[in-house]
Amino acid sequence: MSGGNDTLARLAAVIEARRAGDPDKSYVARLAAKGLDAILKKVGEEATEVVMAAKDGDAARLTAEVADLWFHSMIALAQFGLKPADVLAELERREGQSGLEEFALRKANQREQEGG
């Protein structure tokens, strides 16, 4: 898996380098210049395309669409100064915990933060 982590780290570095670049020469710079709403719209569009590819049973298209979703999600992360390593750390934190346990803990923490 370290190869995947390396790929994500390299891609994050490219995204970070291009965010402040020339919007006429870089897709990442153009999207970043449009702001968070434009980035989130793109994440939503890509998530929908993932669902459609999966529903169609098209494995190759699903792989490509998930790659697009991850890429645009990484642009969103970069807007908040976050990197793939932050997401991987969160996944590692959850490792060994059942999904139901993790969900219950999140709900309890949310209730606590809301004061109730």
Side-chain angles (χ1 to χ4, degrees), residues 82-112:
L82 298 168
K83 300 193 177 318
D86 297 306
V87 176
L88 293 171
E90 175 61 15
L91 290 171
E92 288 170 8
R93 184 191 68 76
R94 296 178 186 186
E95 196 172 7
Q97 200 176 44
S98 84
L100 295 176
E101 288 171 336
E102 195 279 330
F103 180 74
L105 183 59
R106 257 191 297 145
K107 288 303 249 183
N109 287 340
Q110 183 180 359
R111 280 193 301 274
E112 191 175 292

PDB file of all heavy atoms in Angstrom, residues 82-112:
ATOM      1  N   LEU A  82      -5.282  20.400   4.153  1.00  0.00           N
ATOM      2  CA  LEU A  82      -5.208  18.985   4.507  1.00  0.00           C
ATOM      3  C   LEU A  82      -4.575  18.189   3.378  1.00  0.00           C
ATOM      4  O   LEU A  82      -4.579  18.613   2.223  1.00  0.00           O
ATOM      5  CB  LEU A  82      -6.605  18.446   4.814  1.00  0.00           C
ATOM      6  CG  LEU A  82      -7.302  19.104   6.003  1.00  0.00           C
ATOM      7  CD1 LEU A  82      -8.769  18.711   6.049  1.00  0.00           C
ATOM      8  CD2 LEU A  82      -6.599  18.737   7.298  1.00  0.00           C
ATOM      9  N   LYS A  83      -4.051  17.017   3.738  1.00  0.00           N
ATOM     10  CA  LYS A  83      -3.387  16.146   2.783  1.00  0.00           C
ATOM     11  C   LYS A  83      -3.962  14.739   2.882  1.00  0.00           C
ATOM     12  O   LYS A  83      -4.636  14.409   3.861  1.00  0.00           O
ATOM     13  CB  LYS A  83      -1.891  16.115   3.080  1.00  0.00           C
ATOM     14  CG  LYS A  83      -1.241  17.490   2.986  1.00  0.00           C
ATOM     15  CD  LYS A  83       0.252  17.390   2.969  1.00  0.00           C
ATOM     16  CE  LYS A  83       0.940  18.718   2.802  1.00  0.00           C
ATOM     17  NZ  LYS A  83       0.416  19.646   1.875  1.00  0.00           N
ATOM     18  N   PRO A  84      -3.680  13.897   1.893  1.00  0.00           N
ATOM     19  CA  PRO A  84      -4.144  12.509   1.968  1.00  0.00           C
ATOM     20  C   PRO A  84      -3.707  11.819   3.257  1.00  0.00           C
ATOM     21  O   PRO A  84      -4.438  10.985   3.790  1.00  0.00           O
ATOM     22  CB  PRO A  84      -3.509  11.855   0.738  1.00  0.00           C
ATOM     23  CG  PRO A  84      -3.296  12.971  -0.216  1.00  0.00           C
ATOM     24  CD  PRO A  84      -2.994  14.171   0.632  1.00  0.00           C
ATOM     25  N   ALA A  85      -2.539  12.164   3.767  1.00  0.00           N
ATOM     26  CA  ALA A  85      -2.051  11.557   5.011  1.00  0.00           C
ATOM     27  C   ALA A  85      -3.022  11.799   6.159  1.00  0.00           C
ATOM     28  O   ALA A  85      -3.161  10.941   7.044  1.00  0.00           O
ATOM     29  CB  ALA A  85      -0.669  12.102   5.367  1.00  0.00           C
ATOM     30  N   ASP A  86      -3.720  12.922   6.144  1.00  0.00           N
ATOM     31  CA  ASP A  86      -4.708  13.206   7.193  1.00  0.00           C
ATOM     32  C   ASP A  86      -5.882  12.237   7.096  1.00  0.00           C
ATOM     33  O   ASP A  86      -6.383  11.757   8.109  1.00  0.00           O
ATOM     34  CB  ASP A  86      -5.203  14.657   7.089  1.00  0.00           C
ATOM     35  CG  ASP A  86      -4.082  15.661   7.304  1.00  0.00           C
ATOM     36  OD1 ASP A  86      -3.402  15.579   8.338  1.00  0.00           O
ATOM     37  OD2 ASP A  86      -3.898  16.510   6.424  1.00  0.00           O
ATOM     38  N   VAL A  87      -6.309  11.944   5.876  1.00  0.00           N
ATOM     39  CA  VAL A  87      -7.413  11.005   5.670  1.00  0.00           C
ATOM     40  C   VAL A  87      -6.959   9.591   6.020  1.00  0.00           C
ATOM     41  O   VAL A  87      -7.681   8.839   6.676  1.00  0.00           O
ATOM     42  CB  VAL A  87      -7.940  11.072   4.215  1.00  0.00           C
ATOM     43  CG1 VAL A  87      -9.017  10.037   3.970  1.00  0.00           C
ATOM     44  CG2 VAL A  87      -8.452  12.482   3.909  1.00  0.00           C
ATOM     45  N   LEU A  88      -5.750   9.236   5.597  1.00  0.00           N
ATOM     46  CA  LEU A  88      -5.228   7.912   5.916  1.00  0.00           C
ATOM     47  C   LEU A  88      -5.094   7.727   7.420  1.00  0.00           C
ATOM     48  O   LEU A  88      -5.398   6.654   7.948  1.00  0.00           O
ATOM     49  CB  LEU A  88      -3.888   7.693   5.209  1.00  0.00           C
ATOM     50  CG  LEU A  88      -3.977   7.609   3.686  1.00  0.00           C
ATOM     51  CD1 LEU A  88      -2.583   7.604   3.067  1.00  0.00           C
ATOM     52  CD2 LEU A  88      -4.765   6.397   3.244  1.00  0.00           C
ATOM     53  N   ALA A  89      -4.667   8.774   8.130  1.00  0.00           N
ATOM     54  CA  ALA A  89      -4.560   8.692   9.587  1.00  0.00           C
ATOM     55  C   ALA A  89      -5.934   8.455  10.210  1.00  0.00           C
ATOM     56  O   ALA A  89      -6.070   7.685  11.175  1.00  0.00           O
ATOM     57  CB  ALA A  89      -3.922   9.962  10.147  1.00  0.00           C
ATOM     58  N   GLU A  90      -6.956   9.099   9.675  1.00  0.00           N
ATOM     59  CA  GLU A  90      -8.313   8.895  10.188  1.00  0.00           C
ATOM     60  C   GLU A  90      -8.777   7.468   9.917  1.00  0.00           C
ATOM     61  O   GLU A  90      -9.400   6.831  10.782  1.00  0.00           O
ATOM     62  CB  GLU A  90      -9.273   9.906   9.566  1.00  0.00           C
ATOM     63  CG  GLU A  90     -10.724   9.718   9.935  1.00  0.00           C
ATOM     64  CD  GLU A  90     -11.034   9.839  11.428  1.00  0.00           C
ATOM     65  OE1 GLU A  90     -10.203  10.344  12.207  1.00  0.00           O
ATOM     66  OE2 GLU A  90     -12.144   9.415  11.823  1.00  0.00           O
ATOM     67  N   LEU A  91      -8.482   6.946   8.733  1.00  0.00           N
ATOM     68  CA  LEU A  91      -8.847   5.561   8.422  1.00  0.00           C
ATOM     69  C   LEU A  91      -8.107   4.581   9.338  1.00  0.00           C
ATOM     70  O   LEU A  91      -8.692   3.608   9.821  1.00  0.00           O
ATOM     71  CB  LEU A  91      -8.564   5.247   6.952  1.00  0.00           C
ATOM     72  CG  LEU A  91      -9.482   5.932   5.946  1.00  0.00           C
ATOM     73  CD1 LEU A  91      -8.965   5.725   4.532  1.00  0.00           C
ATOM     74  CD2 LEU A  91     -10.904   5.440   6.090  1.00  0.00           C
ATOM     75  N   GLU A  92      -6.840   4.862   9.587  1.00  0.00           N
ATOM     76  CA  GLU A  92      -6.067   4.004  10.495  1.00  0.00           C
ATOM     77  C   GLU A  92      -6.630   4.063  11.910  1.00  0.00           C
ATOM     78  O   GLU A  92      -6.671   3.064  12.614  1.00  0.00           O
ATOM     79  CB  GLU A  92      -4.599   4.406  10.473  1.00  0.00           C
ATOM     80  CG  GLU A  92      -3.910   4.010   9.180  1.00  0.00           C
ATOM     81  CD  GLU A  92      -2.522   4.601   9.016  1.00  0.00           C
ATOM     82  OE1 GLU A  92      -1.999   5.218   9.979  1.00  0.00           O
ATOM     83  OE2 GLU A  92      -1.962   4.454   7.914  1.00  0.00           O
ATOM     84  N   ARG A  93      -7.080   5.243  12.327  1.00  0.00           N
ATOM     85  CA  ARG A  93      -7.673   5.390  13.652  1.00  0.00           C
ATOM     86  C   ARG A  93      -8.919   4.514  13.772  1.00  0.00           C
ATOM     87  O   ARG A  93      -9.175   3.920  14.816  1.00  0.00           O
ATOM     88  CB  ARG A  93      -8.041   6.855  13.912  1.00  0.00           C
ATOM     89  CG  ARG A  93      -8.591   7.119  15.311  1.00  0.00           C
ATOM     90  CD  ARG A  93      -9.175   8.507  15.442  1.00  0.00           C
ATOM     91  NE  ARG A  93     -10.379   8.711  14.661  1.00  0.00           N
ATOM     92  CZ  ARG A  93     -11.589   8.234  14.983  1.00  0.00           C
ATOM     93  NH1 ARG A  93     -11.767   7.501  16.052  1.00  0.00           N
ATOM     94  NH2 ARG A  93     -12.631   8.477  14.206  1.00  0.00           N
ATOM     95  N   ARG A  94      -9.660   4.406  12.692  1.00  0.00           N
ATOM     96  CA  ARG A  94     -10.895   3.627  12.699  1.00  0.00           C
ATOM     97  C   ARG A  94     -10.647   2.125  12.536  1.00  0.00           C
ATOM     98  O   ARG A  94     -11.549   1.330  12.782  1.00  0.00           O
ATOM     99  CB  ARG A  94     -11.815   4.075  11.567  1.00  0.00           C
ATOM    100  CG  ARG A  94     -12.292   5.492  11.709  1.00  0.00           C
ATOM    101  CD  ARG A  94     -13.151   5.845  10.525  1.00  0.00           C
ATOM    102  NE  ARG A  94     -13.531   7.247  10.539  1.00  0.00           N
ATOM    103  CZ  ARG A  94     -14.378   7.769   9.681  1.00  0.00           C
ATOM    104  NH1 ARG A  94     -14.941   7.025   8.752  1.00  0.00           N
ATOM    105  NH2 ARG A  94     -14.674   9.050   9.754  1.00  0.00           N
ATOM    106  N   GLU A  95      -9.451   1.765  12.095  1.00  0.00           N
ATOM    107  CA  GLU A  95      -9.149   0.363  11.825  1.00  0.00           C
ATOM    108  C   GLU A  95      -9.362  -0.488  13.073  1.00  0.00           C
ATOM    109  O   GLU A  95      -8.982  -0.110  14.180  1.00  0.00           O
ATOM    110  CB  GLU A  95      -7.696   0.238  11.362  1.00  0.00           C
ATOM    111  CG  GLU A  95      -7.366  -1.058  10.702  1.00  0.00           C
ATOM    112  CD  GLU A  95      -5.970  -1.054  10.094  1.00  0.00           C
ATOM    113  OE1 GLU A  95      -5.223  -0.077  10.300  1.00  0.00           O
ATOM    114  OE2 GLU A  95      -5.638  -2.016   9.420  1.00  0.00           O
ATOM    115  N   GLY A  96      -9.981  -1.622  12.884  1.00  0.00           N
ATOM    116  CA  GLY A  96     -10.231  -2.522  14.000  1.00  0.00           C
ATOM    117  C   GLY A  96     -11.499  -2.195  14.758  1.00  0.00           C
ATOM    118  O   GLY A  96     -11.897  -2.911  15.664  1.00  0.00           O
ATOM    119  N   GLN A  97     -12.139  -1.112  14.386  1.00  0.00           N
ATOM    120  CA  GLN A  97     -13.393  -0.707  15.010  1.00  0.00           C
ATOM    121  C   GLN A  97     -14.505  -1.068  14.040  1.00  0.00           C
ATOM    122  O   GLN A  97     -14.371  -0.821  12.841  1.00  0.00           O
ATOM    123  CB  GLN A  97     -13.335   0.817  15.212  1.00  0.00           C
ATOM    124  CG  GLN A  97     -14.257   1.384  16.215  1.00  0.00           C
ATOM    125  CD  GLN A  97     -14.017   2.891  16.360  1.00  0.00           C
ATOM    126  OE1 GLN A  97     -13.864   3.594  15.369  1.00  0.00           O
ATOM    127  NE2 GLN A  97     -13.971   3.368  17.576  1.00  0.00           N
ATOM    128  N   SER A  98     -15.572  -1.648  14.532  1.00  0.00           N
ATOM    129  CA  SER A  98     -16.667  -1.951  13.607  1.00  0.00           C
ATOM    130  C   SER A  98     -17.286  -0.653  13.131  1.00  0.00           C
ATOM    131  O   SER A  98     -17.249   0.364  13.830  1.00  0.00           O
ATOM    132  CB  SER A  98     -17.728  -2.834  14.276  1.00  0.00           C
ATOM    133  OG  SER A  98     -18.646  -2.050  15.007  1.00  0.00           O
ATOM    134  N   GLY A  99     -17.858  -0.691  11.947  1.00  0.00           N
ATOM    135  CA  GLY A  99     -18.520   0.498  11.413  1.00  0.00           C
ATOM    136  C   GLY A  99     -19.635   0.978  12.319  1.00  0.00           C
ATOM    137  O   GLY A  99     -19.839   2.180  12.490  1.00  0.00           O
ATOM    138  N   LEU A 100     -20.347   0.046  12.929  1.00  0.00           N
ATOM    139  CA  LEU A 100     -21.439   0.427  13.832  1.00  0.00           C
ATOM    140  C   LEU A 100     -20.901   1.099  15.092  1.00  0.00           C
ATOM    141  O   LEU A 100     -21.472   2.074  15.567  1.00  0.00           O
ATOM    142  CB  LEU A 100     -22.285  -0.799  14.190  1.00  0.00           C
ATOM    143  CG  LEU A 100     -23.036  -1.431  13.013  1.00  0.00           C
ATOM    144  CD1 LEU A 100     -23.754  -2.692  13.466  1.00  0.00           C
ATOM    145  CD2 LEU A 100     -24.006  -0.451  12.397  1.00  0.00           C
ATOM    146  N   GLU A 101     -19.780   0.594  15.617  1.00  0.00           N
ATOM    147  CA  GLU A 101     -19.167   1.223  16.796  1.00  0.00           C
ATOM    148  C   GLU A 101     -18.702   2.636  16.459  1.00  0.00           C
ATOM    149  O   GLU A 101     -18.904   3.573  17.216  1.00  0.00           O
ATOM    150  CB  GLU A 101     -17.967   0.407  17.275  1.00  0.00           C
ATOM    151  CG  GLU A 101     -18.308  -0.903  17.928  1.00  0.00           C
ATOM    152  CD  GLU A 101     -17.073  -1.751  18.178  1.00  0.00           C
ATOM    153  OE1 GLU A 101     -16.050  -1.580  17.488  1.00  0.00           O
ATOM    154  OE2 GLU A 101     -17.156  -2.592  19.080  1.00  0.00           O
ATOM    155  N   GLU A 102     -18.053   2.776  15.300  1.00  0.00           N
ATOM    156  CA  GLU A 102     -17.532   4.074  14.883  1.00  0.00           C
ATOM    157  C   GLU A 102     -18.673   5.064  14.697  1.00  0.00           C
ATOM    158  O   GLU A 102     -18.595   6.205  15.121  1.00  0.00           O
ATOM    159  CB  GLU A 102     -16.715   3.915  13.589  1.00  0.00           C
ATOM    160  CG  GLU A 102     -15.836   5.108  13.259  1.00  0.00           C
ATOM    161  CD  GLU A 102     -16.558   6.242  12.592  1.00  0.00           C
ATOM    162  OE1 GLU A 102     -17.536   5.984  11.874  1.00  0.00           O
ATOM    163  OE2 GLU A 102     -16.157   7.402  12.796  1.00  0.00           O
ATOM    164  N   PHE A 103     -19.758   4.619  14.071  1.00  0.00           N
ATOM    165  CA  PHE A 103     -20.917   5.472  13.846  1.00  0.00           C
ATOM    166  C   PHE A 103     -21.518   5.920  15.180  1.00  0.00           C
ATOM    167  O   PHE A 103     -21.834   7.091  15.374  1.00  0.00           O
ATOM    168  CB  PHE A 103     -21.963   4.749  13.000  1.00  0.00           C
ATOM    169  CG  PHE A 103     -23.187   5.574  12.723  1.00  0.00           C
ATOM    170  CD1 PHE A 103     -23.151   6.620  11.824  1.00  0.00           C
ATOM    171  CD2 PHE A 103     -24.380   5.305  13.378  1.00  0.00           C
ATOM    172  CE1 PHE A 103     -24.281   7.393  11.568  1.00  0.00           C
ATOM    173  CE2 PHE A 103     -25.507   6.072  13.134  1.00  0.00           C
ATOM    174  CZ  PHE A 103     -25.462   7.115  12.226  1.00  0.00           C
ATOM    175  N   ALA A 104     -21.665   4.988  16.124  1.00  0.00           N
ATOM    176  CA  ALA A 104     -22.230   5.312  17.434  1.00  0.00           C
ATOM    177  C   ALA A 104     -21.344   6.315  18.170  1.00  0.00           C
ATOM    178  O   ALA A 104     -21.844   7.259  18.801  1.00  0.00           O
ATOM    179  CB  ALA A 104     -22.407   4.037  18.263  1.00  0.00           C
ATOM    180  N   LEU A 105     -20.031   6.148  18.070  1.00  0.00           N
ATOM    181  CA  LEU A 105     -19.109   7.074  18.724  1.00  0.00           C
ATOM    182  C   LEU A 105     -19.214   8.466  18.112  1.00  0.00           C
ATOM    183  O   LEU A 105     -19.237   9.471  18.816  1.00  0.00           O
ATOM    184  CB  LEU A 105     -17.677   6.544  18.614  1.00  0.00           C
ATOM    185  CG  LEU A 105     -16.597   7.356  19.311  1.00  0.00           C
ATOM    186  CD1 LEU A 105     -16.885   7.457  20.811  1.00  0.00           C
ATOM    187  CD2 LEU A 105     -15.231   6.723  19.074  1.00  0.00           C
ATOM    188  N   ARG A 106     -19.323   8.527  16.782  1.00  0.00           N
ATOM    189  CA  ARG A 106     -19.474   9.826  16.119  1.00  0.00           C
ATOM    190  C   ARG A 106     -20.753  10.517  16.554  1.00  0.00           C
ATOM    191  O   ARG A 106     -20.770  11.716  16.803  1.00  0.00           O
ATOM    192  CB  ARG A 106     -19.475   9.653  14.590  1.00  0.00           C
ATOM    193  CG  ARG A 106     -18.177  10.051  13.962  1.00  0.00           C
ATOM    194  CD  ARG A 106     -18.246  10.132  12.455  1.00  0.00           C
ATOM    195  NE  ARG A 106     -18.549   8.833  11.879  1.00  0.00           N
ATOM    196  CZ  ARG A 106     -19.297   8.670  10.802  1.00  0.00           C
ATOM    197  NH1 ARG A 106     -19.818   9.680  10.183  1.00  0.00           N
ATOM    198  NH2 ARG A 106     -19.532   7.462  10.337  1.00  0.00           N
ATOM    199  N   LYS A 107     -21.854   9.763  16.624  1.00  0.00           N
ATOM    200  CA  LYS A 107     -23.138  10.333  17.050  1.00  0.00           C
ATOM    201  C   LYS A 107     -23.051  10.840  18.489  1.00  0.00           C
ATOM    202  O   LYS A 107     -23.563  11.916  18.804  1.00  0.00           O
ATOM    203  CB  LYS A 107     -24.262   9.298  16.917  1.00  0.00           C
ATOM    204  CG  LYS A 107     -24.647   9.001  15.481  1.00  0.00           C
ATOM    205  CD  LYS A 107     -25.050  10.238  14.755  1.00  0.00           C
ATOM    206  CE  LYS A 107     -26.511  10.236  14.440  1.00  0.00           C
ATOM    207  NZ  LYS A 107     -26.934  11.390  13.677  1.00  0.00           N
ATOM    208  N   ALA A 108     -22.423  10.075  19.371  1.00  0.00           N
ATOM    209  CA  ALA A 108     -22.270  10.485  20.763  1.00  0.00           C
ATOM    210  C   ALA A 108     -21.432  11.763  20.851  1.00  0.00           C
ATOM    211  O   ALA A 108     -21.772  12.689  21.607  1.00  0.00           O
ATOM    212  CB  ALA A 108     -21.630   9.371  21.588  1.00  0.00           C
ATOM    213  N   ASN A 109     -20.347  11.832  20.090  1.00  0.00           N
ATOM    214  CA  ASN A 109     -19.504  13.035  20.092  1.00  0.00           C
ATOM    215  C   ASN A 109     -20.282  14.236  19.554  1.00  0.00           C
ATOM    216  O   ASN A 109     -20.137  15.351  20.055  1.00  0.00           O
ATOM    217  CB  ASN A 109     -18.245  12.799  19.265  1.00  0.00           C
ATOM    218  CG  ASN A 109     -17.257  11.887  19.956  1.00  0.00           C
ATOM    219  OD1 ASN A 109     -17.305  11.718  21.181  1.00  0.00           O
ATOM    220  ND2 ASN A 109     -16.386  11.276  19.178  1.00  0.00           N
ATOM    221  N   GLN A 110     -21.094  14.008  18.533  1.00  0.00           N
ATOM    222  CA  GLN A 110     -21.887  15.098  17.960  1.00  0.00           C
ATOM    223  C   GLN A 110     -22.886  15.627  18.986  1.00  0.00           C
ATOM    224  O   GLN A 110     -23.040  16.826  19.144  1.00  0.00           O
ATOM    225  CB  GLN A 110     -22.613  14.608  16.706  1.00  0.00           C
ATOM    226  CG  GLN A 110     -23.394  15.682  15.993  1.00  0.00           C
ATOM    227  CD  GLN A 110     -24.094  15.144  14.746  1.00  0.00           C
ATOM    228  OE1 GLN A 110     -23.988  13.978  14.406  1.00  0.00           O
ATOM    229  NE2 GLN A 110     -24.804  16.014  14.068  1.00  0.00           N
ATOM    230  N   ARG A 111     -23.562  14.730  19.680  1.00  0.00           N
ATOM    231  CA  ARG A 111     -24.526  15.145  20.718  1.00  0.00           C
ATOM    232  C   ARG A 111     -23.814  15.929  21.815  1.00  0.00           C
ATOM    233  O   ARG A 111     -24.326  16.940  22.293  1.00  0.00           O
ATOM    234  CB  ARG A 111     -25.229  13.926  21.309  1.00  0.00           C
ATOM    235  CG  ARG A 111     -26.360  13.392  20.467  1.00  0.00           C
ATOM    236  CD  ARG A 111     -27.230  12.406  21.217  1.00  0.00           C
ATOM    237  NE  ARG A 111     -26.497  11.250  21.706  1.00  0.00           N
ATOM    238  CZ  ARG A 111     -26.258  10.148  21.006  1.00  0.00           C
ATOM    239  NH1 ARG A 111     -26.695  10.031  19.785  1.00  0.00           N
ATOM    240  NH2 ARG A 111     -25.593   9.147  21.535  1.00  0.00           N
ATOM    241  N   GLU A 112     -22.624  15.468  22.178  1.00  0.00           N
ATOM    242  CA  GLU A 112     -21.848  16.141  23.225  1.00  0.00           C
ATOM    243  C   GLU A 112     -21.476  17.556  22.791  1.00  0.00           C
ATOM    244  O   GLU A 112     -21.577  18.499  23.572  1.00  0.00           O
ATOM    245  CB  GLU A 112     -20.598  15.318  23.512  1.00  0.00           C
ATOM    246  CG  GLU A 112     -19.852  15.753  24.749  1.00  0.00           C
ATOM    247  CD  GLU A 112     -18.681  14.814  25.039  1.00  0.00           C
ATOM    248  OE1 GLU A 112     -18.956  13.655  25.386  1.00  0.00           O
ATOM    249  OE2 GLU A 112     -17.543  15.256  24.905  1.00  0.00           O
TER     250      GLU A 112
END
